[in-house]
Amino acid sequence: MSTLTIRNLHKNFGALEVLKGINLEARAGEFIALVGPSGCGKSTLLGMIAGLEGVTSGEIWIGDRLVNSVQPKDRDIAMVFQSYALYPTMTVRENITFGMESRRVPKKEQAEALKRVAALLQIEQLLNRKPGQLSGGQRQRVAMGRALVRDPKLFLFDEPLSNLDAKLRIEMRTEIKKLHHRVGKTTIYVTHDQVEAMTLATRIAVMHQGSVQQFDVPQMVYDRPANTFVAGFMGSPSMNFIPAELAGDNDKPALSIKTANGSKASLPLHGDAAARIKTGNVILGVRPEHISRFDPQTAARKPGMAMLTAPVELVEPTGAETIAVMKLGGQEVVGRFDRDQAPQMGEEIQLGIDMARACLFDPATKRLI
């Protein structure tokens, strides 16, 4: 196992700055997810780690070795691509062993590595088939097998599941997580899917416009997002952002927000939130699952639960739960409800807002307060 250290990494394409001073460190055996929207720079960063893209400035270290000028074949890495990149005229066996053949690895070692990897990925019965005879999930297993036989210091995954349908993506996500637990190799995984990042990663680097917005464990990225971009990107449906202003007295600080009829509702602040607010205006961030049908008994047991009334504009049943869109002030607010508490279209509903789980953001900087 090896570490990966990236220091003040920049990448320019002519006058266009694509990466703007990236600093990341992956500990030995960690699974790091690079996540962000298209064009944020995550695939470019992965290409630079692999040696497929040059470095404008900064440093990339694999273990104790500076690899800025090292050729891809000499970096001791293995990469799994989105497109599988399998040779269509070769069997699965030949695809997996091709790299070892090129490096003139002895036949006995090849056979041992093939047997080990085929058993690990449960593809023993596929070894004599060609890629055209395989499903998408089977092809992705073969692509991973080709990487695994190398026993590299670092695994790089470039959106490996984006070509698969939703059900198969979930299955392969589980397989990749099991594989990482078995093999324990340091892994860098690029995805635009925040669910993949949350379920797979030890730590997540959320990227936007060439910069890392937050680098932390998944739960912290979700619960305490560094800014409104991270808060809005991580989570589906995304976090609600509600304009608010500080109100109440020193003993009972609260936030004042507009309701649908133009009046104002007061939401008591929880803990030391009021002390962190530097100006009168804030952005209140609330996850959909922290909005529920108000229940006095639950509110009595749960400190920080506030109540307000809002009309229901849209209801979307999803099976186990129901997504509802309410009107608050001049904007829509999304809530996630248990099936037995689902509101009805047009209903005027009493909402419970869990202020203990809410986030406050500075309207000027968009950063977490």
Side-chain angles (χ1 to χ4, degrees), residues 306-344:
M307 190 272 283
L308 55 81
T309 302
V312 179
E313 296 211 322
L314 184 68
V315 175
E316 298 178 337
T318 63
E321 61 188 15
T322 296
I323 306 299
V325 179
M326 285 76 63
K327 199 76 170 182
L328 206 57
Q331 67 183 63
E332 294 179 341
V333 173
V334 179
R336 179 183 276 143
F337 297 84
D338 291 337
R339 187 167 52 184
D340 57 352
Q341 287 192 334
Q344 301 298 313

Side-chain angles (χ1 to χ4, degrees), residues 1 76-78 147-155 185:
M1 285 189 290
D76 198 9
I77 60 170
L148 282 166
V149 291
R150 294 196 58 186
D151 193 28
K153 289 182 178 177
L154 203 63
F155 278 112
K185 291 284 185 178

Side-chain angles (χ1 to χ4, degrees), residues 77-88 90-103 113-114 116-118 120-121 123 127 131 138-152 155 157 179:
I77 60 170
M79 194 161 181
V80 179
F81 296 92
Q82 174 183 350
S83 60
Y84 317 131
L86 303 177
Y87 297 104
M90 293 184 181
T91 64
V92 168
R93 183 190 310 275
E94 291 166 339
N95 266 283
I96 292 175
T97 59
F98 179 77
M100 293 187 288
E101 286 279 0
S102 302
R103 298 191 304 274
L114 177 65
R116 170 178 58 83
V117 168
L120 189 65
L121 296 171
I123 56 172
L127 294 178
Q138 289 170 334
R139 290 180 196 177
Q140 197 55 272
R141 279 194 178 90
V142 175
M144 287 191 286
R146 189 173 52 190
L148 282 166
V149 291
R150 294 196 58 186
D151 193 28
F155 278 112
F157 287 83
L179 182 64

Side-chain angles (χ1 to χ4, degrees), residues 338-360:
D338 291 337
R339 187 167 52 184
D340 57 352
Q341 287 192 334
Q344 301 298 313
M345 188 98 71
E347 178 184 355
E348 191 86 7
I349 185 174
Q350 284 191 326
L351 294 177
I353 309 290
D354 190 351
M355 295 295 289
R357 305 292 297 275
C359 296
L360 302 177

